[in-house]
């Protein structure tokens, strides 16, 4: 037969955070006072065993020991650990105060009452028991002591077992001294026995909770509390032994000793505050020793009484039988709970069987999902092509497999669609997605068998090509470019796209990342040379890239240290040669390398983004110079100053607002500023055209620079708010050749006149070119025939010498 405990429901939410070790025991004021009182009480009690001593001093020690223990318990409640230990220890403190009141009532019974003996009055017993009850309530309020209904029943049976066992042993001690101890009142005697029983109940409760798990309450502190209860209850049970010495009372010695142990328990709680709490015992069903101990103890007492032939055998036997019955009842309840648990376990096993079937189905589904996820993780969701990760792995594997041939049989191509953003902005993302899918289909159809096609992201693709025949790879890429120039049907639209393509062949010791980087460099080289092109990587491309990086770094320094300046090329009236306006041009005089032409540093600025602050500086400087000219030259000042604006600047949010701020800061009227943009910068539409409309609303003149060399879309003249066309020098160079060479120049002036736009011929270098342009109807021109770019002072001097023209 076994008696087991079900799992106790514990609440560790208030448990203090793990900290350091428990502080070692050290002597404190309360411990010193309590220990001194125990020594004093023990000495006085020892003297009282030999001589008849006044009991007043014995009771006087309690006036100090009980308050000391109560204050220590109250302080233990103030330690770190949350509300649970604070509530518990303050219950203990209040219970101690009540016990102290009981001791004072006991002293009154002894000193003032009619009977000077060991008896305890009913009032005193009630006060003692109320103190014990308060401590029990505090104990049961610990979150770790919450129990089920069956557990409470077993707990009650355990308490009943303790009560019967205690009363049986107390009776055995009292009976031989019946006549002496009952000389007063039988009620007082039973009151004393009830206090002893209550003390042992507290001992049992404290021990049981300490072993079941205490949450934030230190377990060893509870053990010490149980020891204090055992000292008090055990000492009280020895009261009959002092029946012949009415001047002594067990409380004289037992209560100071109990208070000392209580002080030790409170000190332990204080020392353990903030330290790592001792782990609770693992959950499960545990053996309860108390019922068996009670049976063994009462059985042993019965055997001893039988051997001694004691006349109180009937009472002891009745107690033993009662304890046995209580333990049996407890075991029946435990077994019934076990049977219920077995039924629950059987039901859970059946539920588990159903869950296993469901899990088996879920596992099959998971295998399907895993295959889908693996595909999604390795392929682009829109086009179904391999993604960047898979492409890198495939390239690495191809390079390793080709190590015997020094990697010469592997090449990578990077393909980037030109002007894809414009299609997305104008036709919507649905059309853009359809175009990406159509391009993917073209690539898959055109590459040789065994090649890997991947989408790297956005509008960028990559090809992994095998073999050493670079000419064959170039033919493949040419065929792809040709196919992309054919109309592609995308979401109801026929779209023609171009792509910039870069090709790089593997070299010994190449990595996948390095090979892809070189192909990317070649692609950007193709894009920088006019888009829609195909380039094979060469080492010079990296050298140019490094040079551009160095130039960009120097350019940043130049911008900060004043190495840059502007020159201005006049724009004149062809008829009389008078000054109409000027175009601002940037110049850089490097302190070590001397003059650096714009063709070297402007591409570096474009690529690094430095063109944005550089363009802002040019715009502000040109506007400020225009204001100075108007102040110095008056009517002879240029009517307008033209500033070139890059595509990168137009894509910057708030560009028009920045221009407006510069005009306000320099006090230049907007009509005297011309912004020159290229066809490529505005062909994609979107934000760039929006910024031009905002500039137009300010009153700024918008010029389309190098017209005829870019996309040359006449529709651009309708969508872009253009005021002026600047005809590229390539058309001016052949204008005097006659025939078909002059057709384009003549057509462009006709378009300008028809759309009410002004036209400026760029790059006029001879008088013959100027005369032919005038004959075709051009009004304005610029070029070396009229003047080279000059510094602001030189231009002012030129104008001051031509008053008639002014």
């Amino acid at each position: 037969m076994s008696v087991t405990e079900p799992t106790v429901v514990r609440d560790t939410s208030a448990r203090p955070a793990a900290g350091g070790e428990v502080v070692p025991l050290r002597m404190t004021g309360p411990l010193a006072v309590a220990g001194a009182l125990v020594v004093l009480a023990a000495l006085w009690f020892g003297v009282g065993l030999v001589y008849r001593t006044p009991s007043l001093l014995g009771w006087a020690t309690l006036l100090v020991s009980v308050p000391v223990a109560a204050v220590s318990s109250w302080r233990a409640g103030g330690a770190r650990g949350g509300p649970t230990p604070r509530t518990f220890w303050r219950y203990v403190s209040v219970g101690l105060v009540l016990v102290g009141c009981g001791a004072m009532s006991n002293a009154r019974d002894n000193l003032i009452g009619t009977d000077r003996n060991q008896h305890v009055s009913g009032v005193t017993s009630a006060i003692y028991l109320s103190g014990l009850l308060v401590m029990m309530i505090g104990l049961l309020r610990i979150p770790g002591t919450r129990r089920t209904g069956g557990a409470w029943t077993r707990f009650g049976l355990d308490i009943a077992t303790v009560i019967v066992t205690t009363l049986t042993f107390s009776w055995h001690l009292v009976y031989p001294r019946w006549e002496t101890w009952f000389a007063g009142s039988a009620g007082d005697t039973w009151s004393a026995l009830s206090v002893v029983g209550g003390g042992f109940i507290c001992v049992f409760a404290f021990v049981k909770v300490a072993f079941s798990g205490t949450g934030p309450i230190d377990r060893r502190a509870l053990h010490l509390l149980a020891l204090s209860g055992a000292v008090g209850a055990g000492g009280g049970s020895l009261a009959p032994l002092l029946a012949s010495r009415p001047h002594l009372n067990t409380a004289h010695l037992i209560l100071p000793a109990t208070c000392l142990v209580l002080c030790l328990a409170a000190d332990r709680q204080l020392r353990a505050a903030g330290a790592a709490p001792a782990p609770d015992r693992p959950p499960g069903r545990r053996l309860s020793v108390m019922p068996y101990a009670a049976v063994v103890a009462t059985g042993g007492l019965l055997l001893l009484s039988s051997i001694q032939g004691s006349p109180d055998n009937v009472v002891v036997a009745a107690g033993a039988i009662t304890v046995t019955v209580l333990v049996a009842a407890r075991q029946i309840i435990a077994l019934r709970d076990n049977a219920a648990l077995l039924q629950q376990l059987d039901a859970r096993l059946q539920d588990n069987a159903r869950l296993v079937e469901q899990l088996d189905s879920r596992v099959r589904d998971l295998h399907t999902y895993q295959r889908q996820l693996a595909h999604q993780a390795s392929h682009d969701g829109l086009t179904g092509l391999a993604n960047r990760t898979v492409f890198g792995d495939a390239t690495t594997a191809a390079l390793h497999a080709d190590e015997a041939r020094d990697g010469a049989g592997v090449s990578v191509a990077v393909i980037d669609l030109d002007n894809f953003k414009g299609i997305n902005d104008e036709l919507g993302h649905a059309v853009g997605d359809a175009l990406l899918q159509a391009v993917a289909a073209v690539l898959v159809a055109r590459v040789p068998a065994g090649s890997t096609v991947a989408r790297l992201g956005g509008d960028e693709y990559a090809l992994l090509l095998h073999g050493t025949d670079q000419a064959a790879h170039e033919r493949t890429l040419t065929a792809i470019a040709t196919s992309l120039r054919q109309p592609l049907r995308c979401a109801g639209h026929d779209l023609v796209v171009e792509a910039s393509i870069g090709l790089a062949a593997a070299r010994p010791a190449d990595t996948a990342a390095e090979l892809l980087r070189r192909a990317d460099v070649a692609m950007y080289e193709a894009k920088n040379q006019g888009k829609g092109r195909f380039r094979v990587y060469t080492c010079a491309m990296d050298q140019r890239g490094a040079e551009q990086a160095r130039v960009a770094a120097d350019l940043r320094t130049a911008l900060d240290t004043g190495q840059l300046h502007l020159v201005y090329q006049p724009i004149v009236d062809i008829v009389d040669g008078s000054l109409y306006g000027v175009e601002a041009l940037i110049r850089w005089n490097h302190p070590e390398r001397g003059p650096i032409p714009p063709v070297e540093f402007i591409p570096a600025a474009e690529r690094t983004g430095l063109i944005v602050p550089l363009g802002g500086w040019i715009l502000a400087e040109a506007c400020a110079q225009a204001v100075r000219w108007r102040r110095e030259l008056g009517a002879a000042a240029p009517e307008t100053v033209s500033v070139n604006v890059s595509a990168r600047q137009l894509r910057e949010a708030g560009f028009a607002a920045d221009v407006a701020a510069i005009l306000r800061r320099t006090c230049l009227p907007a009509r005297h500023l011309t912004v020159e943009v290229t066809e490529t910068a505005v062909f994609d539409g979107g934000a760039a055209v929006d910024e031009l409309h905002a500039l137009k609303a300010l009153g700024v003149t918008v010029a389309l620079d190098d017209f005829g060399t870019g996309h040359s879309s006449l529709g651009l003249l309708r969508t872009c708010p253009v005021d002026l066309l600047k005809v590229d020098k390539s058309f001016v160079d052949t204008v005097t050749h006659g025939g078909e060479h002059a057709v384009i120049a003549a057509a462009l002036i006709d378009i300008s006149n028809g759309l009410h736009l002004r036209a400026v011929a760029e790059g006029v270098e001879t008088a013959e070119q100027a005369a032919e342009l005038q004959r075709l109807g051009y009004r304005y021109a610029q070029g070396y025939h009229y003047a080279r770019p000059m510094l602001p002072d030189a231009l002012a001097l030129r104008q001051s010498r031509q008053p008639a023209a002014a």
Side-chain angles (χ1 to χ4, degrees):
M1 178 178 73
S2 65
V3 180
T4 56
E5 281 291 340
T7 301
V8 177
V9 180
R10 289 191 295 274
D11 180 9
T12 60
S13 62
R15 174 171 294 181
E21 298 294 331
V22 177
V23 178
L25 179 65
R26 77 281 188 212
M27 182 59 68
T28 63
L31 290 178
V33 172
L37 290 173
V38 170
V39 172
L40 178 61
L43 292 174
W44 186 254
F45 195 86
V47 172
L49 291 175
V50 180
Y51 305 100
R52 184 176 183 86
T53 59
S55 60
L56 180 60
L57 182 59
W59 293 109
T61 58
L62 304 183
L63 293 175
V64 180
S65 59
V66 172
V68 168
V71 170
S72 297
S73 299
W74 189 270
R75 287 181 57 212
R80 291 178 296 173
T84 298
R86 180 169 58 250
T87 301
F88 168 72
W89 283 102
R90 289 182 179 174
Y91 268 98
V92 171
S93 180
V94 172
L96 277 171
V97 171
L98 290 174
V99 170
C101 293
M104 294 302 98
S105 178
N106 199 356
R108 179 185 177 282
D109 295 340
N110 187 255
L111 298 175
I112 303 175
T114 56
D115 296 320
R116 294 178 175 273
N117 49 38
Q118 305 297 320
H119 295 169
V120 180
S121 68
V123 174
T124 300
S125 177
I127 298 174
Y128 275 133
L129 289 175
S130 64
L132 297 177
L133 179 61
V134 168
M135 293 185 191
M136 283 285 292
I137 293 174
L139 180 69
L140 297 179
R141 284 177 61 89
I142 298 175
T145 59
R146 292 202 297 268
R147 298 169 179 272
T148 62
W152 277 113
T153 302
R154 289 189 295 276
F155 188 67
L157 288 172
D158 288 340
I159 289 177
T161 302
V162 171
I163 292 174
V164 172
T165 303
T166 302
L167 292 177
T168 302
F169 271 83
S170 298
W171 172 263
H172 184 70
L173 291 174
V174 169
Y175 184 79
R177 300 159 184 84
W178 180 271
E179 294 181 356
T180 304
W181 215 46
F182 268 86
S185 169
D188 291 346
T189 302
W190 288 112
S191 296
L193 293 178
S194 66
V195 173
V196 172
F200 277 110
I201 291 173
C202 285
V203 173
F204 166 75
F206 278 114
V207 171
K208 196 170 187 67
V209 171
F211 278 95
S212 298
T214 61
I217 308 299
D218 185 73
R219 183 179 293 128
R220 293 190 180 180
L222 280 181
H223 291 165
L224 288 170
L225 285 174
L227 177 61
S228 69
V231 170
S237 67
L238 299 176
L241 299 178
L242 299 176
S244 61
R245 293 178 176 82
H247 60 283
L248 293 180
N249 192 297
T250 54
H252 297 167
L253 179 61
I254 299 306
L255 272 179
T258 301
C259 290
L260 174 61
V261 179
L262 278 167
C263 288
L264 288 170
D267 182 73
R268 169 69 189 193
Q269 182 67 39
L270 285 171
R271 289 186 290 111
D280 290 342
R281 291 177 176 269
R285 301 183 63 84
R286 309 185 189 94
L287 184 66
S288 181
V289 180
M290 182 62 71
Y292 297 114
V295 170
V296 171
T298 52
L301 183 60
L302 178 60
L303 180 61
L304 181 63
S305 300
S306 300
I307 294 173
Q308 295 176 348
S310 175
D312 63 337
N313 283 350
V314 175
V315 174
V316 174
I321 293 171
T322 303
V323 169
T324 304
V325 170
L326 290 173
V327 173
R330 186 190 189 285
Q331 180 65 359
I332 290 172
I333 293 174
L335 290 175
R336 186 178 62 188
D337 287 347
N338 289 342
L341 288 175
L342 287 175
Q343 292 178 356
Q344 294 176 7
L345 180 61
D346 182 65
R348 289 191 178 183
L349 288 174
Q350 295 178 5
D351 292 340
N352 288 340
R354 289 191 294 269
L355 286 175
V356 168
E357 295 178 0
Q358 296 175 3
L359 286 174
D360 184 60
S361 176
R362 295 259 180 106
V363 167
R364 290 193 296 269
D365 293 340
L366 282 175
H367 286 315
T368 303
Y369 295 152
Q370 284 176 346
R371 288 192 295 270
Q372 295 174 353
L373 288 174
H375 184 272
Q376 292 174 4
S378 59
H379 289 76
D380 175 54
L382 178 63
T383 62
L385 300 178
N387 60 17
R388 180 183 290 271
T389 301
V390 172
F391 185 81
D393 294 341
T395 305
T396 300
L399 291 172
H400 289 168
D402 206 52
E403 283 181 352
R405 292 176 292 166
D406 295 328
V410 179
S411 296
V412 167
V414 173
I415 302 172
D416 185 85
L417 303 184
D418 297 330
N419 306 315
F420 176 74
K421 182 178 183 300
I423 295 174
N424 250 351
D425 292 341
E426 293 182 12
L427 302 179
H429 291 285
V431 178
D433 290 347
L435 175 60
L436 293 175
Q437 293 170 335
V439 171
V442 170
L443 298 179
V444 171
R446 291 292 181 181
V447 297
S451 302
T452 301
V453 183
R455 181 185 175 207
L456 300 181
D459 59 345
E460 194 171 64
Y461 300 84
L463 307 179
L464 176 61
L465 305 173
H466 301 276
T468 59
D469 190 350
Q470 289 297 300
H473 297 336
E474 294 179 16
R475 288 193 298 270
T476 297
L477 297 177
T478 301
I480 289 174
T482 302
S483 297
L484 292 178
R485 293 191 187 99
Q486 302 301 317
L488 299 175
R489 189 67 177 173
C490 305
H493 297 268
D494 290 324
L495 302 178
V496 176
V497 294
E498 289 186 320
S500 298
I501 304 175
L503 176 66
R507 297 184 300 201
D510 262 351
T511 63
E514 171 60 20
L515 184 56
L516 183 62
R517 184 197 68 81
R518 293 205 306 272
D520 200 51
V521 168
M523 184 273 293
Y524 275 108
E525 184 78 12
K527 192 176 288 289
N528 290 336
Q529 292 182 6
K531 302 182 180 179
R533 300 171 186 266
F534 160 57
R535 290 289 179 270
V536 178
Y537 173 83
T538 63
C539 294
M541 294 179 182
D542 265 341
Q543 294 171 359
R544 282 194 293 272
E547 175 64 17
Q548 284 189 349
R550 186 171 69 86
V551 168
D554 288 348
L555 184 58
R556 164 55 69 185
T557 303
L559 188 60
D560 294 337
T561 58
Q563 298 176 22
L564 305 174
H565 66 275
L566 296 183
V567 294
Y568 300 88
Q569 185 172 33
I571 301 172
V572 302
D573 189 314
I574 292 181
V575 176
D576 58 12
S578 62
L579 182 67
Y580 166 71
V582 294
E583 180 180 358
L585 303 172
I586 184 73
R587 294 293 184 265
W588 180 11
N589 190 21
H590 195 281
E592 298 176 358
R593 300 169 58 190
I596 299 178
V599 70
E600 292 186 17
F601 66 82
I602 292 298
E606 289 274 7
R607 188 163 187 175
T608 60
L610 194 58
I611 193 66
V612 175
L614 179 62
W617 178 84
I618 294 172
L619 187 63
E621 181 65 21
C623 289
Q625 182 59 55
V627 171
R628 288 193 291 271
W629 278 330
R630 301 195 68 79
R631 186 171 58 248
E632 297 170 3
L633 302 175
E639 176 65 21
T640 181
V641 59
S642 297
V643 177
N644 291 283
V645 173
S646 71
R648 178 69 176 270
Q649 287 177 271
L650 284 177
R651 290 196 298 269
E652 290 291 316
F655 173 72
D658 293 339
V659 173
I662 291 173
L663 292 174
R664 287 194 301 271
R665 187 169 66 249
T666 59
C667 299
L668 179 68
R671 68 179 182 276
H672 296 305
L673 174 64
T674 297
V675 169
E676 296 187 11
V677 297
T678 63
E679 297 172 74
T680 303
V682 296
F683 181 77
D684 292 341
V689 174
D690 292 340
E691 293 295 329
L692 290 182
H693 278 290
L695 291 174
K696 180 75 171 178
L698 291 174
V700 176
T701 300
V702 177
L704 204 56
D705 196 17
D706 299 331
F707 188 75
T709 61
H711 292 84
S712 302
S713 172
L714 296 180
L716 189 63
L717 299 178
R718 293 198 314 261
T719 60
C720 186
V722 178
D723 300 296
L724 187 147
L725 295 182
K726 300 196 74 173
V727 179
D728 188 70
K729 182 180 183 298
S730 61
F731 303 121
V732 174
D733 287 341
T734 59
V735 73
T736 58
H737 295 177
E740 62 182 15
H741 297 287
V743 170
I744 296 178
L748 291 178
I749 192 61
D750 289 340
I751 291 172
S752 299
N753 293 334
L755 296 177
H756 306 289
L757 304 176
R758 295 190 297 276
V760 176
E762 294 184 295
V764 180
E765 296 183 352
T766 66
E768 290 79 9
Q769 291 174 347
E772 181 63 21
L773 289 171
Q774 183 178 356
R775 188 189 68 80
L776 291 175
Y778 281 87
R779 175 77 183 277
Y780 303 104
Q782 70 181 100
Y784 285 0
H785 173 65
Y786 299 104
R788 291 177 177 272
M790 59 186 69
L791 293 171
D793 292 342
L795 183 68
L797 181 61
R798 176 183 184 275
Q799 287 303 98
S800 65
R801 291 177 177 176
Q802 299 179 7

